[in-house]
Amino acid sequence: MSSTFGRILRLTTFGESHGKAIGGILDGYPAGIPIDMDRIQAEMDRRRPGSTSLGTSRNEKDEAEILSGVYNGMSTGTPIAFMIRNTSQISSHYSEIEHLFRPGHADYAFQRKYGIRDPRGGGRSSGRETAARVFGGALAKEILRRDGIVIGAGAIEVAGIRATGYGWNPPFPPPLYAPECPELQDMIKAIEDARADSDSVGGVIECRAQGVPAGLGDPVFDKLDALLAHAMLSIGAVKAIEFGAGFAAARMKGSENNDQMEARDGKAAFLSNNAGGILGGISTGSEIVFRVAVKPTPSIAKEQRTITDSYEDTVVSIHGRHDPSIVPRAVSVVEAMAALTITDALLARRCYER
Amino acid sequence: MSSTFGRILRLTTFGESHGKAIGGILDGYPAGIPIDMDRIQAEMDRRRPGSTSLGTSRNEKDEAEILSGVYNGMSTGTPIAFMIRNTSQISSHYSEIEHLFRPGHADYAFQRKYGIRDPRGGGRSSGRETAARVFGGALAKEILRRDGIVIGAGAIEVAGIRATGYGWNPPFPPPLYAPECPELQDMIKAIEDARADSDSVGGVIECRAQGVPAGLGDPVFDKLDALLAHAMLSIGAVKAIEFGAGFAAARMKGSENNDQMEARDGKAAFLSNNAGGILGGISTGSEIVFRVAVKPTPSIAKEQRTITDSYEDTVVSIHGRHDPSIVPRAVSVVEAMAALTITDALLARRCYER
Amino acid sequence: MSSTFGRILRLTTFGESHGKAIGGILDGYPAGIPIDMDRIQAEMDRRRPGSTSLGTSRNEKDEAEILSGVYNGMSTGTPIAFMIRNTSQISSHYSEIEHLFRPGHADYAFQRKYGIRDPRGGGRSSGRETAARVFGGALAKEILRRDGIVIGAGAIEVAGIRATGYGWNPPFPPPLYAPECPELQDMIKAIEDARADSDSVGGVIECRAQGVPAGLGDPVFDKLDALLAHAMLSIGAVKAIEFGAGFAAARMKGSENNDQMEARDGKAAFLSNNAGGILGGISTGSEIVFRVAVKPTPSIAKEQRTITDSYEDTVVSIHGRHDPSIVPRAVSVVEAMAALTITDALLARRCYER
Amino acid sequence: MSSTFGRILRLTTFGESHGKAIGGILDGYPAGIPIDMDRIQAEMDRRRPGSTSLGTSRNEKDEAEILSGVYNGMSTGTPIAFMIRNTSQISSHYSEIEHLFRPGHADYAFQRKYGIRDPRGGGRSSGRETAARVFGGALAKEILRRDGIVIGAGAIEVAGIRATGYGWNPPFPPPLYAPECPELQDMIKAIEDARADSDSVGGVIECRAQGVPAGLGDPVFDKLDALLAHAMLSIGAVKAIEFGAGFAAARMKGSENNDQMEARDGKAAFLSNNAGGILGGISTGSEIVFRVAVKPTPSIAKEQRTITDSYEDTVVSIHGRHDPSIVPRAVSVVEAMAALTITDALLARRCYER
């Protein structure tokens, strides 16, 4: 529960934004997988502060150290522990907000839950925690690659500007990590404008998993889409998810929404993909497609009404080096959580294969 | 995993649509709760086939029998097993589709996963399975009631017709289980038209939890919204979920989306509720609000292209007594899964209360 | 937790001794296994009341009904629910003990935990609950059989009389379910004497798993011996377990206790089996051997001091149709729990096989 | 599973004997508990190599660094990660055994499970892993202390020499960590003799938990004794466990073994404790008492027959700085695992308290 994700492949994370380190333990990782640290670090680099001109001006290297589970460059089947030292925090930025609750943040709810919190940089609720997810996801991708499964995500909407007519050839490049489209420069400019205006903007990230075999996921509570929804909504800034046609499916007729089939190579070939590659909770062999809504960064310099931890009214303007949009850096987190979820389903299935 | 939902309060379900019975075991239910079978049956009646003029013409009583865990009308803390005998199945309806995969259903994915399936009425993937969820949810509500928590859901969109200006006073009445609104008759008519046209329609269900205290849910992987998303996407017909402003939040600026606060009675009073009552995965004490997209019923009489289980092309028209829209009967399922999720979080929190 | 056992293959049980029924749900059972109800009922018959002349005079048929998960005589991969109606209870036997706590029983601890209990026949803590385990174990054995794994248990000590020089050819026959040995008749007589004396006796059951491949179990917390110990101590009457040489190993020198090896057919052949077939928590390919201590039946007609549920001193003589020794009927329960544990480890391993 | 122990309070450990570090994450730890690092280090010191004259001559400081979850000396409710750098390994000692399987060790089983292993010092199967358990147990004790629960363990048998007439006043002093008794010097001498003889000896450790309230543990699969047995058998060198009278109970009559009761202060006072403080899997309020058998250290310098990892016969004499008996240093590990188990049951119970 809580700080652990997954059933067979289980990622347990730790760490506060301004504590000594963040990291995690990836347990249930199969033995004998070569671990390519360059490829893993490349994934980390997409998420790290400073990776995109559209993000925070903080520059952290986010170099992960593996503490166990790898011997002579190969996984051994034992838990892989990893750690990233926190190096670039300026806690003084937080002294002025130590005794108030920032709007749009977990501060108030956290205080009510635990009665105590580490107020520096959001503590455990900081987006910094997602670095451990990206590391875990990078390791999961090493398994998926061997099975020919490719997970890719990209920004397809920023500040209400929606990409049109885009192709799909991930990984997508910085600064926005979006597919090539006519609206790309406008989307980038919307983020720059938000920064200039001391405000922030949100957006939509699309994720696709290609090469997923039919048969992953369980028919009742652990449907593959339920597991993916769990994974995505566990990312702090994500407020919604839709699979395939999603909310649009609610406005279709059955005759429009059903994906009809024809036989091809002893399998079903679907003539459309409104289902997003999952039916009854089980992958169909079609591309898995879903989109998540990312809210605008809550940390903004504009003045907002809030309360102190003595429960008195006040106002706050949040300064510091914040991302004017979480969308670009969240792309790698979405990919990582999708990779962990699908790898887990892949390993789980092996228990039942005949 | 799989057929079990929850961490402290765990519902394990069983049963195929046309097998002997469906039912479940609710484990982790506290001792000493009076069990009001009339109230539970009333919940079952909202979901049961024949409960609404907008649904299937099948008429099943869905009377649940409690087999254990209740003594002299009180829960004893031991697992509560319950069972509903299947009585109204006409399996012959399924002989013609036994050897093909119905579009929009789990048939093909299920076959690819297990290599075997009970083809009668969808088997384990049938919506009939949700009767066990409604039973479990009804028991969960008995706990929530004692804590002053009320879960209500209602249809707010059918076939693209969206309710406007509605109040919130659940439970909502049949046939649509929707709040009173100017569009109500049009929504009902859309379902009747779909039935007349041998087609089906989808819609959107909104769910609200009132009276939930601040502090439920965990800050990382088991965020309350992640658990609710898991719960909702585990309902077969649900293809999307959004919390609070949801996808609209992705188009807002931070200054618009953040819910500002003022102090009231030693707590935070939020001046808006774009977050849907959850921040950083933890309940804030505001009303929890989310909406799910329900796809149109896949079983339609219109002819569709598909394949046989020998992987040859064919066409199919699905006859039988199907719901022209799943929306009305899904309302009680959404409520039940929300009740189970929030009760579980409530019990989990007690482990940590100081 | 609580009423669920296993990780991949999960048995959840329900039922009180004098409630409507007992039973369970076996989830995670692979698809495509033929289910031989005669073989399963034969396992049930070994445990059922009335199966042995050394046990209770109650005679219950314990016929299990499968409610789901089996179609055309084959498992389908969906949860297998089963139920055994309670038919032979005489609750009036319990009216005189309804308001006191029986020595050696869970009554007092249960009341302190839940504040409420079903006092008829021990309620949830009754040995009757183990019928559901035997059913689950019988289904597990169907999987093990296909992998050439045989689980057998037998009584090897009763009332301090220890079997010597016995061979191993399970299943062993009633009334004692013990291997042929010189002490067999004395062991049987000890139970008959206990019955005549209004008292009861305990004993030791040995269990062996033959044909278990090397590599089952995990190296740290879920060692195969830890999982088996968990399984065995979850049987109400079991108070101790030892693997291989067990407590005797504590008195050996390393040079005596270590099982030396030689190569045979590309595997290790161990020259002794003090480890009981498990090293570092992982099966070695040797026979798995353990023994459990079964305490004497706590329900005895001899007068004992105890207290009422108003916390006043009293005395009690427990009448009714009780087993003078739990040992004979516990043999099948030990086998069942061993079968469930080893099958779970076998399925779990498949996730990691290369 | 695997590297995680516990349900509410969950310890996940990592690390190989000769890797960079060992450590773990303790999740589910309540907020607001003062963390006394001196007391925690004192627990670590009892287990660390070099702590006792009866153990290895390796001298490791085993200083644990907390990486997260503690702020201003208080737990925050977030996962507590900790790490102990490995500093004193001499891997060259292992070059000569890299390609063979040591008798009595996990080497062979591990190789058969994973097909790969880190041969240095036992890798993941090394007793060094238990340092993380002692750290977790020390944190658990901080919770137990606030509830007046004291866990103590001590050596009561070495090489067949059994302590008699001992009192119980833990923690017990080095070098043996045994209660004061007439046999103490003989027990110590037996270990010294084993070292002189290039051999090793085992023993028995008794553990008692005092002040445990009635009502901990669950009535079926998660009996408190089942959880404790799981915990103890997960310690590499432990081969057996018995609760209360244990194997002796199997030789008693019911009238001897049952613990009769009288009323005292509105509770039951038990007139004996053959049950070891647990009935039907639930704590009774009596002292919890169990004993575990510790096998002799498998690493001995005497020559033994074994095989290489090319499956050829060979002989081996294991040199290096090994403990002639695991018993002294295992005392703190037994205590730690008991503390984790009982704290978990204590927290779990809070979910159900009325």
Side-chain angles (χ1 to χ4, degrees):
Chain A
M1 298 194 276
S2 195
S3 295
T4 299
F5 184 81
R7 303 164 302 164
I8 303 296
L9 182 67
R10 292 173 305 284
L11 176 66
T12 302
T13 68
F14 70 86
E16 282 79 47
S17 174
H18 286 56
K20 283 195 177 177
I22 62 167
I25 299 176
L26 188 65
D27 198 15
Y29 197 84
I33 310 277
I35 303 302
D36 182 330
M37 279 305 291
D38 289 341
R39 212 146 51 199
I40 291 166
Q41 191 59 46
E43 296 279 338
M44 298 294 287
D45 286 346
R46 288 203 295 155
R47 195 217 68 95
R48 76 171 173 83
S51 67
T52 165
S53 60
L54 297 177
T56 173
S57 61
R58 273 179 295 137
N59 202 320
E60 301 194 47
K61 282 198 167 174
D62 278 359
E63 283 179 3
E65 179 188 14
I66 288 184
L67 300 171
S68 67
V70 177
Y71 181 60
N72 289 342
M74 297 270 273
S75 67
T76 59
T78 63
I80 300 174
F82 57 94
M83 181 178 67
I84 304 151
R85 292 271 178 196
N86 291 328
T87 55
S88 173
Q89 310 87 346
I90 306 180
S91 296
S92 61
H93 276 167
Y94 292 97
S95 60
E96 61 192 59
I97 58 166
E98 185 173 349
H99 292 296
L100 57 79
F101 303 128
R102 295 167 298 164
H105 278 281
D107 298 356
Y108 172 71
F110 203 97
Q111 179 74 27
R112 290 293 301 278
K113 180 180 184 68
Y114 294 108
I116 187 177
R117 68 198 169 94
D118 177 347
R120 300 167 302 169
R124 182 67 177 147
S125 298
S126 165
R128 178 143 185 75
E129 168 264 331
T130 58
R133 304 181 184 212
V134 172
F135 189 91
L139 283 165
K141 284 184 179 177
E142 298 293 307
I143 298 172
L144 294 176
R145 176 176 294 113
R146 295 155 75 97
D147 277 51
I149 299 172
V150 175
I151 313 268
I156 62 157
E157 182 182 307
V158 171
I161 304 165
R162 185 71 168 239
T164 60
Y166 54 89
W168 199 258
N169 189 26
F172 302 112
L176 187 54
Y177 303 106
E180 186 60 38
C181 64
E183 299 80 6
L184 185 56
Q185 292 311 316
D186 289 345
M187 291 157 80
I188 291 171
K189 184 163 183 304
I191 296 178
E192 289 166 345
D193 288 352
R195 191 199 310 253
D197 192 33
S198 301
D199 213 330
S200 63
V201 290
V204 174
I205 294 171
E206 183 165 302
C207 183
R208 303 187 189 185
Q210 299 170 309
V212 176
L216 302 198
D218 286 325
V220 183
F221 294 118
D222 286 351
K223 289 184 163 76
L224 187 56
D225 33 1
L227 299 175
L228 285 166
H230 189 144
M232 293 303 140
L233 271 297
S234 81
I235 303 171
V238 171
K239 298 300 286 183
I241 188 169
E242 59 178 10
F243 290 85
F247 274 100
R251 297 187 290 272
M252 291 181 183
K253 300 201 165 183
S255 55
E256 297 164 328
N257 182 63
N258 282 349
D259 299 314
Q260 301 187 40
M261 287 168 264
E262 62 181 26
R264 204 176 302 160
D265 304 327
K267 293 182 181 172
F270 290 86
L271 307 181
S272 54
N273 192 12
N274 291 318
I278 302 172
L279 278 171
I282 305 171
S283 63
T284 64
S286 289
E287 191 178 59
I288 291 175
V289 184
F290 62 86
R291 287 170 298 283
V292 299
V294 177
K295 73 176 185 181
T297 320
S299 292
I300 54 173
K302 278 199 194 308
E303 189 178 283
Q304 301 174 85
R305 294 178 61 188
T306 191
I307 62 176
T308 68
D309 60 8
S310 311
Y311 296 92
E312 295 183 346
D313 290 334
T314 186
V315 292
V316 64
S317 300
I318 300 168
H319 300 287
R321 299 165 295 171
H322 302 288
D323 296 85
S325 179
I326 299 164
V327 171
R329 292 175 56 209
V331 165
S332 59
V333 182
V334 167
E335 272 186 28
M337 292 307 297
L340 285 164
T341 306
I342 290 170
T343 306
D344 187 52
L346 191 74
L347 296 175
R349 192 197 181 189
R350 291 186 190 164
C351 305
Y352 303 105
E353 263 175 10
R354 300 166 63 197
Chain B
M1 299 195 273
S2 197
S3 294
T4 299
F5 183 81
R7 304 163 301 164
I8 303 294
L9 181 68
R10 293 174 302 285
L11 176 67
T12 303
T13 68
F14 69 86
E16 283 78 48
S17 174
H18 287 57
K20 284 193 177 178
I22 62 167
I25 299 175
L26 187 65
D27 199 14
Y29 197 82
I33 310 277
I35 303 301
D36 183 330
M37 280 305 291
D38 289 341
R39 214 148 49 200
I40 291 166
Q41 191 60 45
E43 295 279 337
M44 298 294 287
D45 286 347
R46 289 203 294 156
R47 195 218 68 96
R48 76 173 173 81
S51 67
T52 165
S53 59
L54 297 177
T56 172
S57 61
R58 273 179 296 134
N59 201 319
E60 300 195 48
K61 282 199 168 173
D62 277 0
E63 284 179 2
E65 180 187 14
I66 288 184
L67 300 171
S68 66
V70 178
Y71 182 61
N72 289 342
M74 297 269 276
S75 67
T76 60
T78 64
I80 299 175
F82 58 94
M83 179 177 68
I84 303 152
R85 291 274 178 193
N86 291 327
T87 57
S88 174
Q89 311 85 346
I90 306 180
S91 296
S92 61
H93 277 166
Y94 292 96
S95 60
E96 63 192 59
I97 59 166
E98 185 174 348
H99 292 296
L100 58 78
F101 303 127
R102 294 167 300 164
H105 279 282
D107 299 358
Y108 172 70
F110 203 97
Q111 180 73 29
R112 289 293 302 277
K113 180 178 183 68
Y114 294 108
I116 185 177
R117 68 197 169 97
D118 177 349
R120 300 167 303 169
R124 183 65 179 149
S125 298
S126 164
R128 178 145 186 74
E129 167 266 331
T130 58
R133 303 182 185 213
V134 171
F135 189 90
L139 283 165
K141 284 183 180 179
E142 298 292 308
I143 298 172
L144 294 177
R145 177 176 295 112
R146 295 156 73 97
D147 278 50
I149 299 173
V150 176
I151 313 269
I156 61 157
E157 182 183 309
V158 171
I161 304 166
R162 185 72 169 240
T164 59
Y166 54 88
W168 198 258
N169 189 26
F172 302 112
L176 188 53
Y177 303 107
E180 186 61 37
C181 64
E183 298 80 5
L184 185 57
Q185 293 309 316
D186 290 345
M187 291 157 80
I188 290 171
K189 185 164 183 303
I191 296 178
E192 288 165 345
D193 288 352
R195 193 201 308 255
D197 192 34
S198 301
D199 213 329
S200 62
V201 290
V204 174
I205 294 171
E206 182 165 303
C207 184
R208 302 188 189 184
Q210 299 169 310
V212 176
L216 302 198
D218 287 325
V220 183
F221 294 118
D222 286 353
K223 289 183 163 74
L224 186 56
D225 35 358
L227 297 175
L228 285 165
H230 188 145
M232 294 303 140
L233 271 297
S234 82
I235 303 172
V238 171
K239 297 300 286 183
I241 188 169
E242 60 178 9
F243 290 85
F247 274 100
R251 297 188 290 272
M252 291 181 184
K253 301 204 164 181
S255 55
E256 297 164 326
N257 183 61
N258 282 350
D259 299 315
Q260 302 186 39
M261 286 168 265
E262 63 181 24
R264 203 178 302 161
D265 303 328
K267 293 182 180 171
F270 289 87
L271 306 181
S272 55
N273 192 12
N274 290 318
I278 303 171
L279 279 172
I282 305 172
S283 62
T284 63
S286 288
E287 191 177 60
I288 291 175
V289 183
F290 61 86
R291 287 170 298 284
V292 301
V294 177
K295 73 176 186 181
T297 320
S299 291
I300 54 173
K302 280 200 194 306
E303 189 178 283
Q304 301 174 88
R305 296 178 59 187
T306 191
I307 62 175
T308 68
D309 60 9
S310 310
Y311 296 91
E312 295 183 345
D313 290 333
T314 187
V315 293
V316 64
S317 301
I318 298 168
H319 299 288
R321 299 165 297 171
H322 301 288
D323 296 85
S325 180
I326 299 163
V327 172
R329 291 176 58 208
V331 165
S332 60
V333 182
V334 166
E335 272 186 29
M337 292 306 297
L340 285 164
T341 306
I342 290 171
T343 306
D344 187 52
L346 190 73
L347 295 176
R349 192 199 178 188
R350 291 188 189 163
C351 305
Y352 302 105
E353 264 175 12
R354 300 167 63 197
Chain C
M1 300 194 272
S2 197
S3 294
T4 299
F5 183 81
R7 303 164 301 164
I8 303 295
L9 182 67
R10 292 173 304 283
L11 176 66
T12 303
T13 68
F14 69 86
E16 282 77 48
S17 174
H18 286 57
K20 284 194 177 178
I22 61 166
I25 299 175
L26 188 65
D27 199 14
Y29 197 83
I33 310 278
I35 304 301
D36 184 330
M37 279 306 290
D38 289 341
R39 213 149 49 200
I40 290 166
Q41 191 60 46
E43 295 280 338
M44 298 296 287
D45 285 347
R46 288 203 295 155
R47 195 217 69 95
R48 76 173 173 82
S51 67
T52 165
S53 60
L54 297 176
T56 173
S57 61
R58 273 178 297 134
N59 201 320
E60 299 195 47
K61 283 198 166 173
D62 278 359
E63 283 180 1
E65 179 187 15
I66 287 184
L67 300 172
S68 68
V70 177
Y71 182 62
N72 289 341
M74 296 271 274
S75 67
T76 60
T78 63
I80 300 175
F82 58 94
M83 181 178 66
I84 304 151
R85 291 272 177 193
N86 290 328
T87 57
S88 175
Q89 312 85 345
I90 306 180
S91 296
S92 62
H93 277 165
Y94 292 97
S95 60
E96 62 191 59
I97 59 166
E98 185 175 348
H99 293 295
L100 56 77
F101 304 127
R102 296 167 299 166
H105 278 283
D107 299 357
Y108 172 71
F110 202 97
Q111 179 74 29
R112 290 291 304 277
K113 180 179 183 67
Y114 294 108
I116 186 177
R117 67 197 170 95
D118 177 348
R120 300 166 304 167
R124 182 66 178 149
S125 298
S126 165
R128 178 144 186 74
E129 167 266 329
T130 58
R133 304 182 184 212
V134 171
F135 189 91
L139 283 165
K141 285 183 178 177
E142 298 292 309
I143 298 172
L144 295 176
R145 176 176 295 112
R146 295 156 73 96
D147 277 51
I149 298 172
V150 176
I151 313 270
I156 61 157
E157 182 182 309
V158 170
I161 305 165
R162 185 71 168 239
T164 60
Y166 53 89
W168 198 257
N169 189 26
F172 303 112
L176 188 54
Y177 303 108
E180 187 60 40
C181 64
E183 299 80 4
L184 185 57
Q185 292 311 315
D186 290 345
M187 291 157 80
I188 290 171
K189 185 163 181 307
I191 295 178
E192 290 165 343
D193 289 352
R195 193 203 306 258
D197 192 32
S198 301
D199 213 330
S200 63
V201 290
V204 175
I205 294 171
E206 182 165 303
C207 183
R208 302 189 190 185
Q210 298 169 311
V212 176
L216 302 198
D218 287 325
V220 184
F221 295 117
D222 286 352
K223 288 184 163 76
L224 187 56
D225 33 2
L227 297 175
L228 285 165
H230 187 146
M232 293 304 141
L233 271 296
S234 81
I235 303 171
V238 170
K239 299 299 288 182
I241 188 168
E242 59 178 10
F243 290 85
F247 274 100
R251 298 187 289 272
M252 291 181 182
K253 301 202 165 183
S255 55
E256 298 164 327
N257 183 61
N258 283 347
D259 299 314
Q260 301 187 40
M261 288 168 263
E262 63 181 26
R264 203 178 302 158
D265 304 329
K267 293 182 181 173
F270 290 86
L271 306 181
S272 54
N273 192 13
N274 290 318
I278 302 172
L279 278 171
I282 305 171
S283 63
T284 64
S286 289
E287 191 177 60
I288 291 174
V289 184
F290 61 87
R291 286 170 300 282
V292 300
V294 177
K295 73 176 185 180
T297 319
S299 292
I300 55 174
K302 279 199 194 307
E303 189 178 282
Q304 301 174 86
R305 294 178 60 188
T306 190
I307 63 174
T308 68
D309 60 9
S310 310
Y311 295 92
E312 296 184 345
D313 289 336
T314 187
V315 294
V316 63
S317 302
I318 298 169
H319 300 288
R321 300 164 297 172
H322 301 288
D323 296 85
S325 179
I326 298 164
V327 172
R329 292 176 56 210
V331 165
S332 60
V333 182
V334 166
E335 271 187 29
M337 291 307 297
L340 284 165
T341 306
I342 290 170
T343 306
D344 187 52
L346 190 73
L347 295 176
R349 191 198 181 190
R350 290 187 189 165
C351 305
Y352 304 105
E353 262 174 10
R354 300 167 64 197
Chain D
M1 300 195 274
S2 196
S3 294
T4 299
F5 183 81
R7 303 164 301 164
I8 303 293
L9 182 67
R10 292 173 304 283
L11 176 66
T12 302
T13 68
F14 70 86
E16 282 79 47
S17 174
H18 286 57
K20 284 195 177 178
I22 62 165
I25 299 175
L26 188 65
D27 199 14
Y29 197 83
I33 310 277
I35 304 302
D36 182 330
M37 281 305 292
D38 289 341
R39 212 146 53 199
I40 291 166
Q41 192 59 46
E43 295 279 339
M44 300 294 289
D45 286 346
R46 289 203 294 156
R47 194 217 70 94
R48 75 173 174 81
S51 67
T52 166
S53 60
L54 297 176
T56 173
S57 61
R58 273 179 295 134
N59 201 319
E60 301 195 46
K61 283 200 167 172
D62 276 0
E63 284 180 3
E65 179 187 15
I66 288 184
L67 300 172
S68 67
V70 178
Y71 181 61
N72 289 342
M74 298 270 274
S75 67
T76 60
T78 64
I80 300 174
F82 58 94
M83 181 178 68
I84 304 151
R85 291 273 176 194
N86 290 327
T87 56
S88 174
Q89 311 86 344
I90 306 179
S91 296
S92 60
H93 276 165
Y94 293 96
S95 60
E96 63 192 57
I97 59 168
E98 184 175 349
H99 293 295
L100 57 79
F101 304 126
R102 295 166 298 163
H105 278 282
D107 298 358
Y108 172 70
F110 202 97
Q111 179 74 30
R112 290 292 303 276
K113 179 179 184 68
Y114 294 108
I116 185 177
R117 68 196 170 95
D118 176 348
R120 301 166 302 168
R124 182 67 180 147
S125 298
S126 164
R128 177 143 187 74
E129 167 265 329
T130 58
R133 303 181 184 214
V134 171
F135 189 90
L139 282 166
K141 284 183 179 179
E142 298 292 308
I143 298 172
L144 295 176
R145 177 176 294 113
R146 296 156 72 96
D147 277 50
I149 299 172
V150 175
I151 313 268
I156 61 158
E157 182 182 307
V158 170
I161 305 166
R162 185 72 168 238
T164 59
Y166 53 90
W168 198 258
N169 188 26
F172 303 112
L176 188 52
Y177 304 107
E180 186 60 39
C181 64
E183 298 81 4
L184 186 57
Q185 292 311 315
D186 288 346
M187 291 157 80
I188 290 171
K189 183 164 185 304
I191 296 178
E192 289 166 344
D193 288 353
R195 192 199 311 254
D197 192 32
S198 301
D199 213 331
S200 62
V201 290
V204 174
I205 294 171
E206 182 165 301
C207 183
R208 302 188 189 185
Q210 299 169 311
V212 176
L216 302 198
D218 287 324
V220 183
F221 294 117
D222 285 352
K223 289 184 163 76
L224 186 56
D225 34 0
L227 298 175
L228 284 165
H230 188 145
M232 293 304 141
L233 271 298
S234 81
I235 303 171
V238 171
K239 299 300 286 184
I241 186 169
E242 59 179 10
F243 291 84
F247 274 101
R251 297 187 291 273
M252 292 182 184
K253 300 203 166 182
S255 55
E256 299 164 327
N257 183 61
N258 283 349
D259 299 314
Q260 301 187 39
M261 287 168 263
E262 63 183 23
R264 202 178 301 160
D265 304 328
K267 293 182 180 173
F270 290 87
L271 306 181
S272 55
N273 192 13
N274 290 318
I278 302 172
L279 279 171
I282 304 172
S283 62
T284 63
S286 289
E287 192 177 59
I288 292 174
V289 184
F290 62 86
R291 288 169 297 284
V292 300
V294 177
K295 72 176 187 181
T297 319
S299 292
I300 55 174
K302 279 200 192 306
E303 188 178 283
Q304 302 173 86
R305 295 177 60 189
T306 191
I307 64 175
T308 68
D309 60 9
S310 311
Y311 296 91
E312 295 184 346
D313 290 335
T314 186
V315 293
V316 63
S317 301
I318 298 168
H319 300 289
R321 301 164 295 171
H322 301 287
D323 296 84
S325 178
I326 299 163
V327 171
R329 291 177 57 209
V331 165
S332 59
V333 182
V334 166
E335 272 187 28
M337 292 307 296
L340 284 165
T341 306
I342 290 171
T343 305
D344 187 51
L346 191 73
L347 295 176
R349 192 199 180 190
R350 292 188 188 163
C351 304
Y352 302 106
E353 264 175 10
R354 300 166 64 197

